[in-house]
C-alpha cells in the first residue's frame, strides 16, 4: 500500500512538472516587443499632435508599431497633415499630401448592402481610414473559412475573397475614430449599418507596407 502511494506521488509530481514545463515553454507569453508597442501606443507621440480621431479597438498595435518604426517619416507626414487640415471643410476628391508621395482620398459616400460590397486585401499598401462624419460599417474576414475568389492583381494591389458571413467580424467605426488594415486584414468597407443615416465622410490614405 505504501509503495503504491509513493508511486502515485511520484507520477503526480512528474505530471505537474511536465505541465509547468509546457506552460512556460510553449504557451505564448507577453514579449518585450509587445510591451514596448503598448507603452509606445499609450504615450501617443506617434500621433504627432493629431487629436481629431482615436484608433478603433480593432487596431493591431504590434503591426502598427512595427510599420511605424520602419517608416517613421511617412507616418509622421500623414499625422501632421491630418492635424493641420480641416477634415470637414476640405473638398471631396484626391489631395496629394505635401512633402510625400501620399494621396488623401476624401470620400463623401454611403454605406451599402453587404452583398454589394467588395472584399479586399493588399500586399504593397496599408489602408488608413479616418471617419470624419457619420458611422461606417466594416467587416474583417475569417482566414480559415475564406477562400480566394479573385487572384492577386499586382497592378491594382488587390485580392478578393469568398467568405462565410457567420464567421465574419462586423463592426462600426464612428466619426472621430480611425482604422488601419494591414495585408493580413482581409476586409470589407462601407457596409450598411443599423443607423437611419448611411451617409459618411471618410478620408482614406494608402500607406506603404514595409517588409
Amino acid at each position: 500500500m505504501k509503495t503504491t502511494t509513493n508511486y502515485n506521488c511520484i507520477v503526480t509530481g512528474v505530471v505537474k512538472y511536465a505541465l509547468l514545463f509546457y506552460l512556460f515553454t510553449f504557451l505564448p507569453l507577453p514579449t518585450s516587443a509587445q510591451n514596448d508597442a503598448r507603452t509606445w501606443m499609450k504615450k501617443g507621440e506617434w500621433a504627432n499632435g493629431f487629436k481629431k480621431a482615436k484608433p478603433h479597438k480593432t487596431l493591431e498595435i504590434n503591426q502598427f508599431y512595427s510599420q511605424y518604426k520602419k517608416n517613421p517619416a511617412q507616418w509622421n507626414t500623414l499625422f501632421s497633415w491630418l492635424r493641420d487640415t480641416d477634415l470637414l471643410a476640405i473638398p471631396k476628391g484626391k489631395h496629394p499630401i505635401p512633402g510625400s508621395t501620399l494621396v488623401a482620398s476624401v470620400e463623401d459616400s454611403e454605406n451599402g448592402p453587404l452583398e454589394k460590397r467588395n472584399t479586399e486585401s493588399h500586399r504593397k499598401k496599408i489602408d488608413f481610414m479616418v471617419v470624419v462624419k457619420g458611422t461606417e460599417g466594416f467587416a474583417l474576414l475569417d482566414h480559415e473559412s475564406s477562400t480566394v475568389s479573385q487572384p492577386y492583381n499586382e497592378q491594382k494591389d488587390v485580392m478578393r475573397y469568398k467568405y462565410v458571413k457567420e464567421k465574419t467580424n462586423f463592426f462600426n467605426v464612428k466619426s472621430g475614430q480611425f482604422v488601419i488594415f494591414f495585408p493580413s486584414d482581409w476586409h470589407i468597407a462601407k457596409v450598411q449599418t443599423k443607423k437611419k443615416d448611411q451617409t459618411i465622410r471618410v478620408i482614406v490614405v494608402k500607406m506603404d507596407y514595409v517588409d
Side-chain angles (χ1 to χ4, degrees):
M1 187 72 170
K2 187 175 182 181
T3 302
T4 303
T5 302
N6 290 340
Y7 176 78
N8 289 337
C9 289
I10 293 172
V11 171
T12 301
V14 170
V15 171
K16 287 182 177 180
Y17 176 82
L19 180 60
L20 289 172
F21 178 81
Y22 173 82
L23 290 173
F24 285 100
T25 305
F26 296 105
L27 291 186
L29 296 174
T31 64
S32 176
Q34 289 174 329
N35 291 332
D36 289 345
R38 294 190 188 98
T39 301
W40 170 83
M41 193 75 191
K42 288 180 180 179
K43 285 184 177 180
E45 295 175 358
W46 51 268
N48 214 13
F50 172 60
K51 298 180 180 180
K52 300 171 189 175
K54 296 181 179 180
H56 189 264
K57 62 182 180 181
T58 55
L59 176 64
E60 297 176 10
I61 295 176
N62 293 332
Q63 287 210 57
F64 181 36
Y65 176 71
S66 175
Q67 286 299 307
Y68 194 106
K69 291 296 182 180
K70 291 177 180 178
N71 197 9
Q74 192 175 76
W75 286 98
N76 281 329
T77 298
L78 168 67
F79 286 113
S80 294
W81 182 84
L82 291 169
R83 179 195 65 206
D84 299 335
T85 302
D86 188 333
L87 304 180
L88 280 170
I90 189 172
K92 177 181 178 180
K94 295 187 180 297
H95 300 267
I97 296 179
S100 73
T101 58
L102 299 175
V103 176
S105 296
V106 181
E107 303 177 1
D108 291 327
S109 56
E110 295 183 359
N111 296 313
L114 178 62
E115 60 271 15
K116 294 185 178 181
R117 304 306 306 158
N118 278 328
T119 59
E120 61 182 60
S121 72
H122 315 288
R123 293 181 181 176
K124 300 176 183 178
K125 297 294 182 179
I126 298 167
D127 280 341
F128 177 95
M129 305 180 186
V130 57
V131 180
V132 178
K133 183 180 180 180
T135 299
E136 182 172 3
F138 288 96
L140 281 171
L141 308 186
D142 172 63
H143 283 206
E144 291 186 5
S145 58
S146 300
T147 57
V148 175
S149 62
Q150 293 182 21
Y152 178 68
N153 184 317
E154 186 170 2
Q155 184 177 0
K156 295 182 178 180
D157 185 38
V158 68
M159 184 182 293
R160 304 201 185 279
Y161 304 87
K162 291 180 180 179
Y163 62 96
V164 178
K165 182 179 178 181
E166 290 73 21
K167 294 187 177 182
T168 301
N169 177 25
F170 294 94
F171 59 94
N172 294 338
V173 178
K174 60 185 181 180
S175 58
Q177 295 180 324
F178 66 83
V179 288
I180 305 177
F181 294 122
F182 301 96
S184 59
D185 296 319
W186 306 351
H187 59 280
I188 311 173
K190 295 183 176 65
V191 178
Q192 189 170 11
T193 69
K194 294 182 180 179
K195 302 283 186 180
K196 290 184 179 180
D197 187 0
Q198 298 296 321
T199 58
I200 53 175
R201 164 166 277 219
V202 182
I203 296 177
V204 180
V205 182
K206 296 281 188 178
M207 306 296 290
D208 292 331
Y209 179 76
V210 182
D211 289 325

